Structures are given as C-alpha cells and as structure tokens.
C-alpha cells in the first residue's frame, strides 16, 4: 500500500516536486487538460495517480484511483464500502466530515469520493490529496507553508 502523508503527498510523490523530477521517477504517463488554459494533468494509470501541477510546474494536487492502493493510518481508502472506511476512521480517532461527494478528513488535506455517499455499502472510488497553501517569496517562487489549500472545490 501507498501511505498518505498529510500535506506532504504519498510515499513516492511529494507536493512541491517539479513535474520533470516526478516524470523521471515514475516513468510512463499520459497528459491531458481538464479545460483550455489549464496546466496539463499527468496520468500514471499503472499506479492510479493523476498529478496536477501549478503554474511553476510544481506538484500541488493528487487524484488517486484504486490502482494506487492508498492508505491512511494503515486504513485502506479505496475500493471498500464507504461505511466500512468510516468505521475504520472512527476506530482510529480520525476526524472527518461528510459532504455531498463523500467525506473530508479534518486537517489532513484528504478527501474521499463515492458516487452515492448516502449508501454506505457503495465503494469509495477516488481520493484527492491537497498540498498546503503556498506563499510566494520575494522572487515570486512558491514556498511551502503550513495549512490547507483554500477556496478549491474537489474535482469529483
């Protein structure tokens, strides 16, 4: 399994890494744009990751599918019934809030997507991971800062 590290990324990909470095490390990918003018999203289908980069080509958002085998606090997050995952999160004292697409793990930058959040036997199909909000230094280069990204909706 790939363990999620809140506000950092996952074991093999870290927020703030350059697109070039990630591409060299992960190998085969395809790219697509969600809409005109957007930065390309790199899709690594064999490991279930879609990686989004900011205008400086630094990793700032991760979408994950079942092939990624993501876990958090040892809890597998994908392709399991939403109700089971909620029970596991509660038993590990992980706070979360429900929303209309699944749930958000409080203070972690982690969101779970299920197509039917009111039906607890439906599997979680996707996980999104957010980078901490970045501030700019005097040269305009982004620097990591502590805390969640703000004013962004999930892609699911």
């Amino acid at each position: 399994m790939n363990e999620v590290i809140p506000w950092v990324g996952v074991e093999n990909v870290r927020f703030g890494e350059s697109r070039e470095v990630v591409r060299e490390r992960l190998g085969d990918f395809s790219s697509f744009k969600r809409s005109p003018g957007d930065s390309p999203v790199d899709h690594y289908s064999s490991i279930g990751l879609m990686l989004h980069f900011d205008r400086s080509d630094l990793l700032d958002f991760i979408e994950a599918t079942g092939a990624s085998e993501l876990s958090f606090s040892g809890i597998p997050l994908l392709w399991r019934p939403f109700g089971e995952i909620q029970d596991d999160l509660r038993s590990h004292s992980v706070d979360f809030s429900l929303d209309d697409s699944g749930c958000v793990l409080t203070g972690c930058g982690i969101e779970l997507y299920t197509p039917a959040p009111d039906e607890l036997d439906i599997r979680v199909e996707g996980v999104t991971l957010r980078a901490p909000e970045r501030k700019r230094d005097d040269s305009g280069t982004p620097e990591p800062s502590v805390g969640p990204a703000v004013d962004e909706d999930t892609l699911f």
Side-chain angles (χ1 to χ4, degrees):
M1 277 190 282
N2 250 331
E3 186 72 12
V4 174
I5 305 163
W7 307 118
V8 174
V10 292
E11 294 169 2
N12 58 346
V13 188
R14 306 287 174 118
F15 293 122
E17 289 186 304
S18 74
R19 184 186 304 266
E20 181 179 323
V21 166
V22 172
R23 284 178 172 176
E24 286 178 22
R25 182 182 319 118
L26 299 182
D28 290 337
F29 67 94
S30 61
S31 288
F32 66 93
K33 289 187 176 189
R34 291 224 183 255
S35 58
D38 283 354
S39 179
V41 175
D42 288 355
H43 185 199
Y44 296 85
S45 59
S46 64
I47 59 172
L49 296 177
M50 288 179 275
L51 306 179
H52 301 249
F53 297 82
D54 64 15
R55 290 184 183 126
S56 299
D57 255 0
L58 301 176
L59 182 65
D60 69 350
F61 189 79
I62 299 171
E63 292 179 271
T65 63
S68 67
E69 299 183 351
L70 288 189
S71 64
F72 177 65
S73 293
I75 303 165
L77 298 176
L78 288 151
W79 292 114
R80 297 178 49 223
F82 188 43
E84 285 182 19
I85 294 173
Q86 286 181 47
D87 290 344
D88 286 349
L89 292 170
R90 284 185 192 103
S91 72
H92 284 79
S93 300
V94 176
D95 290 330
F96 61 91
S97 60
L98 300 174
D99 62 24
D100 60 354
S101 63
C103 71
V104 176
L105 280 60
T106 308
C108 297
I110 303 169
E111 301 172 15
L112 307 183
Y113 167 76
T114 179
D118 294 334
E119 298 179 34
L120 299 181
D121 59 334
I122 301 296
R123 295 186 299 184
V124 171
E125 294 182 1
V127 173
T128 59
L129 307 175
R130 296 187 182 283
E133 183 178 353
R134 292 184 174 279
K135 62 180 181 178
R136 303 258 174 211
D137 67 15
D138 293 336
S139 71
T141 304
E143 294 180 353
S145 63
V146 179
V150 294
D151 295 331
E152 285 192 48
D153 292 328
T154 62
L155 296 178
F156 297 116

